[in-house]
């Protein structure tokens, strides 16, 4: 299943997180109205086992309250406003909203979630519309065995600090080959179909090496048009952005 069966993917990060409260139904609707091909969301279980669409376990950043998702039930979390009157949605609600309208990239924030994820996917979505991303090794292995139709994308960050955010990595041919080799090895270990990279890794040479190894190359997270255009020219298969309104211009 390796490679990219889709055309170039414009991917809305946490819905339209630069325009609306992240990971909410409101943000996802905004991204859909703009016409993105894929929506990236995060999921983690709350105390009663319900899979919710939320990035942080601590709600201080998104809601201004010191409450932990892992220690709260779904009912306890319903009253919390995460912006503009929005609640934290369940994964069921989000996949039901997205079914048939866009592909979904689910970043699981904990490991060992494959059975729960697959139960939700089969209840309200279609396996072929779903990609799992991240580095949850056991979830990846379980999902590959249980549902090979669900695509997997191994996420990798850049290893350096303080690099200019608008620059792609500049590599010699040997440096690009070495960097790509490290990335490809991680993808193969995860039995992944795609690689989700910090955009600074996605130089033209690194991107080409990864694609020749059979992986689609998706990048995160880019919110300015010049860098989006540079990445498109570098040959990546998809770009993730908090600003899908800008991304739709690429």
């Amino acid at each position: 299943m390796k490679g990219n069966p889709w055309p170039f993917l414009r991917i809305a990060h946490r819905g339209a997180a630069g325009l609306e409260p992240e990971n909410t139904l409101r943000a996802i609707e905004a991204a859909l109205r703009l016409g993105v091909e894929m929506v990236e969301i995060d999921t983690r279980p709350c105390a009663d086992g319900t899979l919710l669409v939320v990035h942080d376990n601590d709600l201080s950043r998104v809601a201004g309250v010191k409450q932990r998702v892992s220690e709260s039930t779904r009912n306890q979390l319903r009253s919390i406003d995460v912006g503009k009157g929005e609640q934290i949605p369940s994964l069921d609600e989000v996949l039901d909203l997205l079914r048939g309208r866009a592909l979904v990239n689910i970043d699981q924030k904990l490991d060992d979630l494959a059975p729960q994820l697959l139960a939700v996917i089969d209840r309200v979505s279609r396996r072929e519309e779903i990609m799992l991303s991240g580095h949850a090794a056991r979830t990846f292995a379980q999902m590959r065995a249980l549902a090979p139709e669900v695509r997997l994308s191994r996420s990798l960050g850049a290893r350096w600090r303080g690099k200019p955010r608008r620059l792609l990595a500049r590599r010699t041919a040997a440096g690009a080959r070495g960097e790509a080799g490290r990335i490809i090895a991680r993808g193969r270990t995860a039995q992944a179909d795609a690689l989700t990279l910090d955009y600074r890794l996605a130089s033209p040479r690194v991107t080409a090496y990864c694609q020749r190894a059979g992986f689609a190359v998706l990048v995160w997270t880019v919110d300015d048009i010049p860098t989006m255009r540079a990445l498109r020219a570098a040959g990546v298969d998809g770009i993730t952005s908090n600003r899908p309104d800008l991304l739709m211009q690429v």
Side-chain angles (χ1 to χ4, degrees):
M1 289 182 65
K2 282 184 170 57
N4 187 5
W6 308 300
F8 179 74
L9 294 174
R10 292 168 293 190
I11 308 165
H13 187 236
R14 304 180 192 174
L19 304 172
E20 300 289 356
E22 67 178 53
N23 278 322
T24 62
L25 297 180
R26 182 186 183 112
I28 292 164
E29 279 285 13
L32 290 172
R33 285 195 300 272
L34 289 164
V36 298
E37 290 83 18
M38 178 179 275
V39 175
E40 186 268 356
I41 57 173
D42 305 287
T43 194
R44 63 171 63 247
C46 63
D48 60 24
T50 303
L51 288 174
L52 302 181
V53 175
V54 59
H55 184 276
D56 303 348
N57 188 36
D58 185 334
L59 297 181
S60 297
R61 179 179 63 85
V62 295
V65 295
K66 291 185 177 180
Q67 186 154 347
R68 297 175 70 82
V69 173
S70 60
E71 298 171 359
S72 309
T73 66
R74 177 74 179 108
N75 284 336
Q76 289 171 330
L77 293 167
R78 284 185 188 277
S79 62
I80 296 175
D81 183 346
V82 293
K84 299 184 179 180
E86 290 291 305
Q87 300 175 345
I88 298 170
S90 68
L91 184 60
D92 288 72
E93 291 173 314
V94 168
L95 294 189
D96 185 55
L97 176 62
L98 287 165
R99 180 185 169 108
R101 302 174 71 187
L103 301 168
V104 190
N105 182 344
I106 303 174
D107 186 350
Q108 63 266 271
K109 308 316 290 184
L110 294 177
D111 209 343
D112 285 322
L113 294 180
Q116 299 99 304
L117 283 166
L118 191 56
V120 176
I121 292 165
D122 286 345
R123 186 160 59 242
V124 296
S125 187
R126 292 191 284 260
R127 293 183 182 188
E128 60 270 20
E129 294 183 355
I130 304 297
M131 172 181 283
L132 298 186
S133 66
H135 41 79
R138 291 184 296 277
T139 297
F140 272 30
Q142 293 163 1
M143 192 63 77
R144 181 55 80 216
L146 293 170
E149 307 93 333
V150 174
R151 288 185 167 260
L152 307 177
S153 186
R154 177 66 161 86
S155 297
L156 291 105
R159 292 184 294 178
W160 58 78
R161 299 285 181 183
K163 291 288 184 181
R165 289 196 57 79
R166 296 193 181 192
L167 289 181
L168 279 65
R170 289 186 169 87
R171 302 278 186 192
T172 63
R177 189 162 51 248
E179 187 68 74
R182 177 185 74 88
I183 293 167
I184 290 165
R186 299 284 184 88
R188 286 175 175 161
T189 298
Q191 304 180 69
D193 306 291
L195 300 163
T196 306
L197 306 181
D198 181 313
Y199 76 91
R200 292 169 293 179
L201 292 171
S203 67
R205 284 172 172 159
V206 169
T207 297
Y209 280 126
C210 293
Q211 290 167 333
R212 283 200 291 270
F215 296 99
V217 177
L218 312 177
V219 296
W220 50 271
T221 304
V222 185
D223 295 334
D224 68 279
I225 289 176
T227 306
M228 292 173 185
R229 287 178 174 156
L231 287 159
R232 189 74 175 100
V236 302
D237 297 293
I239 297 174
T240 306
S241 179
N242 295 305
R243 290 293 305 273
D245 55 328
L246 301 180
L247 187 56
M248 296 309 291
Q249 299 178 41
V250 177

